[in-house]
Structures are given as C-alpha cells and as structure tokens.
C-alpha cells in the first residue's frame, strides 16, 4: 500500500525513506508531501490507510472525520507533542493514533543552550555588525554564566540534558517538576516551587509539555517574578508563554534576553516561506523588533540523530498498527475488528 506523509521537510525525506526501505523492503510505498494537513488538504489523503502527520498539521474533528471517511485508519504523528490532534474525535472516528514518545534529548537541550548563549553574548547583533565591517564592541557586553543560577522547568530527559550542560558551566541548579529526577538531584539540583525558581534564576529554560495545566505557564504574574536581567529560553511549546504578557514585559525594559524556538501561534507560519508576504501576525512581528529577542522556527529537534530516530519510531508505529498491537507510543488504541 501507499503511505502518505504531510509536512515532510527536504532534509527529513531521505531519513524517512531510508527507514521505510529498511523496514518494509518494498512492501509499502511512501509518498512525501510538503503541504500541511488541514481542512483544505485532507482530500489528498483519500484512499491512504496510514497518514504521517507533523506537529503543525491541523487534525481537528472535521479533518479527522474527512480522513476516516476517505479510508484512513491510522495517524502516525512524527513528534512527541500531539496537542494538534483531537484524540477524542480520533477515537470516535475509529482511528488509531501514535506518536514518537522520545528521541535524542541532546538535540533540543543543546539548541536551547545555543539560544541562551547567543542572546547573552549578543551574537546575532555582532554578526550583523561584522558583515558590515563594523567591529565596535558597544552594546555587546555579556555576562559570565559560571556561578549564576539556572532554573530548569521540566526535568525529563531534555531538561536533564540541559541541566548537565548547566552543571558543566558551573551553575547553581534549581528545578521545577511534578516529580524529582534522580539524575538531576545527583547534579546538585534543588527542586523548588515555581515562584521561587522564577525569582532566583538568572536563566530560565522551559522543558515541559503543553497541556491545559501548563498553557500560559509563564503569564503576566509569572513573568513579573523574574529578575529584570534574567534570560528566558523556550524550546518546548509556544503555548507555555503568554505572548502578550511577554511583549509587555519586554516593552517595560525587562529581561536581558529571550530565545524562542517556538511560538504559540506558529501553525501556518513556521516551516513556511513568508518572506514575500506581509506578516499579518502583529505579535510575532512585534517580538522581532526587540534586539534582545532571538526567534528560530521550531528547529531545536532538527539533527540527523533526532530526525533519524523519529523516522525509525514512526515506522515501528506503523508496523504495530498493521499487526493490530499497541505500544508505549500509542495515543488511541487501534479499534478491534
């Protein structure tokens, strides 16, 4: 049979095809599409039992019904997050859904540190200057991170990898999570309430999943607790930070720097070329005007190791679906015949 993948990136496709070729040996074909799955594009999935989705596809109830009516029986999400999928509707439509529950934590942790270091040492501004042969150091003063406090919100695999790097810098570690990670405790991390972490940390990095409980985790009240010269990094999910509250904080001249790899309204913008269009998202455009804000387009995970692992796990999820079995990656159990 033919399996169709949506939102497949140019650098992702070879790794995805390689995983398919090794696992299926020609028994199933893969059709890769660059377009994203939504109400307008759902008809293109007609006749495909398995659909590979990406984090910026819109799989609401209407789209899922259209897919089910067209013969789709499985959604294989190529990411850890799945807040873009209406799981209740998927179950009602008789669809099985699986995700990639984990991949290289180092890809995201290392990228989060890249954002932190870049905003701290004004790297983007420095590069723009030197390209114009302006070699002044005015406005490029950074700070040593050694001896300062790193606040890690979410201490799973990615948060722990971030904490290990912070420990290597010689930073004091504060953590916040629903449970304590022994690996982080071994680094000397102290678990504290969210309010204390925000008040004491010189660097706050977010590594928690997006859920109703964590939506706008950093709102006006939470951001007000942070030091005026703190650095904020979000490489997890855009909805963790209330954008309007962040804009007000920045307009007030607070925060030394902000590094964002995600944005709460990124769907329909990230992973697309908008360079020839008018940017109609005023909040995103406003964020771009701050010289101490660095925004990248959800690329923290984008390494050969992580994408390769995502591809292999996606293939394994398809194999499980075809065999009628569930796994730890299963979000909606395959319906019984």
């Amino acid at each position: 049979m033919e399996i169709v993948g949506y939102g497949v990136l140019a650098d992702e496709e070879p790794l995805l095809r390689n995983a398919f070729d090794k696992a299926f040996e020609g028994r199933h074909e893969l059709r890769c599409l660059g377009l994203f799955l939504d109400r307008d594009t759902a008809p293109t999935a007609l006749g495909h039992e398995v659909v590979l989705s990406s984090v910026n596809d819109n799989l609401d109830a209407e789209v899922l019904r259209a897919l089910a009516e067209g013969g789709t029986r499985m959604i294989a999400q190529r990411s850890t997050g799945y807040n873009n999928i209406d799981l209740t509707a998927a179950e009602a439509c008789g669809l099985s859904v699986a995700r990639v529950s984990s991949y290289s934590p180092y890809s995201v942790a290392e990228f989060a540190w890249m954002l932190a270091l870049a905003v701290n040492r004004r790297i983007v501004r420095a590069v723009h200057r030197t390209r114009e042969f302006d070699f002044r150091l005015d406005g490029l003063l950074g700070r040593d991170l050694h001896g300062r406090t790193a606040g890690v919100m979410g201490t799973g695999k990615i948060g722990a990898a971030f904490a290990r790097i912070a420990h290597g810098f010689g930073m004091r570690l504060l953590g916040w999570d629903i449970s304590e990670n022994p690996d982080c405790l071994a680094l000397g991390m102290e678990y504290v309430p969210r309010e204390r972490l925000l008040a004491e940390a010189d660097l706050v990095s977010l590594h928690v999943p997006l859920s109703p409980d964590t939506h706008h985790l950093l709102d006006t009240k939470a951001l007000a607790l942070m030091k005026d010269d703190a650095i904020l990094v979000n490489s997890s999910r855009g909805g963790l930070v209330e954008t309007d509250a962040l804009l007000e904080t920045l307009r007030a001249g607070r925060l030394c720097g902000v590094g964002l790899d995600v944005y709460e309204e990124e769907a329909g913008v990230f992973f697309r070329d908008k360079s020839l269009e008018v940017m109609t998202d005023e909040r995103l455009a406003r964020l771009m005007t701050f010289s101490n804000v660095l925004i990248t387009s959800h690329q923290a995970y984008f390494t050969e190791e992580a994408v390769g692992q995502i591809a292999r796990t996606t293939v394994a999820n398809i194999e499980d679906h075809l065999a009628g079995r569930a796994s730890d990656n299963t979000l909606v159990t395959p319906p019984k015949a």
Side-chain angles (χ1 to χ4, degrees), residues 179-308:
S179 61
E180 298 181 353
N181 186 332
D183 292 337
C184 292
L185 291 172
L187 296 172
M189 176 178 285
E190 179 184 2
Y191 280 85
V192 297
R194 180 183 65 158
E195 292 75 15
R196 182 181 161 193
L197 182 149
L198 292 172
E200 296 184 16
D202 299 292
L203 165 63
V204 174
S205 190
L206 304 182
H207 302 286
V208 299
L210 180 62
S211 69
D213 290 334
T214 61
H215 182 252
H216 286 178
L217 181 67
L218 293 192
D219 55 13
T220 300
K221 184 178 179 181
L223 288 169
L225 295 172
M226 294 181 64
K227 295 180 177 181
D228 287 348
D229 60 353
I231 294 172
L232 171 63
V233 173
N234 185 10
S235 58
S236 184
R237 286 293 181 268
L240 298 175
V241 179
E242 183 180 359
T243 305
D244 288 334
L246 179 59
L247 284 168
E248 287 300 319
T249 300
L250 291 166
R251 275 196 288 262
R254 301 186 59 245
L255 299 182
C256 170
V258 176
L260 303 175
D261 186 51
V262 289
Y263 169 63
E264 63 176 327
E265 301 296 336
E266 68 182 56
V269 179
F270 282 15
F271 303 151
R272 302 170 190 253
D273 182 2
K274 296 289 185 176
S275 61
L276 299 179
E277 302 176 23
V278 174
M279 176 49 63
T280 57
D281 188 325
E282 294 183 359
R283 295 188 300 171
L284 179 58
R286 243 182 245 141
L287 280 173
M288 295 284 196
T289 66
F290 292 94
S291 62
N292 61 337
V293 175
L294 175 57
I295 300 177
T296 51
S297 54
H298 208 140
Q299 70 179 85
Y301 78 99
F302 207 51
T303 65
E304 291 182 10
E305 292 78 8
V307 176

Side-chain angles (χ1 to χ4, degrees), residues 120-131:
N120 177 44
R121 300 306 297 269
R122 314 289 192 259
I123 296 299
V124 174
R125 179 183 295 178
V127 170
H128 285 322
R129 280 190 185 177
T130 56
R131 285 186 179 276

Side-chain angles (χ1 to χ4, degrees), residues 17-164:
R17 289 194 179 280
N18 182 58
F20 262 73
D21 291 343
K22 286 185 177 180
F24 297 130
E25 298 177 335
R27 288 180 286 122
H28 305 298
E29 296 181 8
L30 175 64
R31 181 185 178 201
C32 293
L33 300 178
L35 54 86
F36 292 91
L37 186 54
D38 55 26
R39 299 176 185 182
D40 295 328
T41 61
T44 62
L46 181 66
H48 292 88
E49 178 179 344
V50 177
V51 166
L52 311 187
S53 58
S54 69
V55 69
N56 275 337
D57 291 325
N58 175 25
L59 294 170
D60 59 16
E62 180 180 344
V63 173
L64 292 170
R65 283 195 296 269
L67 292 176
E69 291 170 1
T72 298
R73 295 294 174 262
M74 187 217 183
I75 305 295
Q77 175 90 336
R78 305 190 316 279
S79 70
T80 300
Y82 52 90
N83 52 287
N84 61 317
I85 305 175
D86 186 333
L87 298 182
T88 301
E91 184 174 14
C93 291
L95 296 168
S96 66
V97 182
R99 64 162 177 162
V100 178
S101 57
S102 65
Y103 52 83
S104 169
Y106 312 109
S107 61
V108 179
E110 291 171 4
F111 195 88
W113 265 107
M114 185 280 298
L115 290 174
L117 293 171
V119 297
N120 177 44
R121 300 306 297 269
R122 314 289 192 259
I123 296 299
V124 174
R125 179 183 295 178
V127 170
H128 285 322
R129 280 190 185 177
T130 56
R131 285 186 179 276
E132 297 295 328
F133 301 104
D134 179 353
F135 300 104
R136 293 172 301 158
L137 298 183
D138 297 347
L140 302 182
L141 186 67
R143 298 178 299 172
D144 287 358
L145 292 175
H146 177 85
R148 295 186 184 272
T149 300
V152 186
M153 303 188 73
T155 57
K157 292 180 179 179
I158 296 173
F162 184 90
R164 281 192 291 273

